[in-house]
Amino acid sequence: MALIFRNDYSRPIWAMYERYRPNCPDGGNWLKAGWWKIQPGQTAVVFAGDPHGVNPIWYAYAHSDDGLEWSDRFQELVPVRAFEWCSNVADTSSRTILMHEFVAASTNHTHTFRAP
């Protein structure tokens, strides 16, 4: 399975995701990763892995340099630098974001960030 982020907004975005990862090494069952900088009209493969046993529920968040956010109600702590952490990990630079939930099929899935 591949998860692909697509930027259909007119500005660059920085995006992250969270996925089910049973027995994540630092504890918990979820893994969060980011930040991919994606230019307007471009895509980024943010996950490529075995489709067997992958939970179809994923979470994502993105923001642009003009302040627009793609968010919802699912809270997470993320740092300002690139990361790949278990969901219960944070550091002193971490801030709270609100992710949105989506369903990804067990094949390639493109998640698009569009202008509101």
Side-chain angles (χ1 to χ4, degrees):
M1 178 211 172
L3 175 62
I4 302 158
F5 283 167
R6 176 172 176 77
N7 179 4
D8 274 356
Y9 188 55
S10 61
R11 309 281 302 206
I13 64 169
W14 287 263
M16 61 80 63
Y17 71 81
E18 187 164 318
R19 69 176 177 91
Y20 185 66
R21 166 75 162 75
N23 303 311
C24 197
D26 293 331
N29 290 316
W30 292 86
L31 178 86
K32 56 190 174 184
W35 296 103
W36 285 268
K37 183 178 182 182
I38 309 169
Q39 297 295 331
Q42 299 297 308
T43 61
V45 176
V46 298
F47 174 82
D50 184 356
H52 302 292
V54 173
N55 186 325
I57 304 298
W58 292 68
Y59 299 90
Y61 167 85
H63 67 274
S64 65
D65 60 0
D66 64 357
L68 186 61
E69 293 181 292
W70 289 264
S71 63
D72 193 6
R73 60 188 169 100
F74 299 96
Q75 190 171 338
E76 187 56 88
L77 286 170
V78 295
V80 297
R81 60 184 167 78
F83 65 98
E84 183 175 294
W85 294 346
C86 295
S87 64
N88 61 347
V89 175
D91 69 11
T92 57
S93 77
S94 295
R95 67 183 180 101
T96 300
I97 52 111
L98 297 172
M99 304 176 298
H100 61 271
E101 182 180 86
F102 65 97
V103 175
S106 61
T107 58
N108 294 348
H109 178 85
T110 300
H111 185 76
T112 303
F113 296 95
R114 293 185 171 88

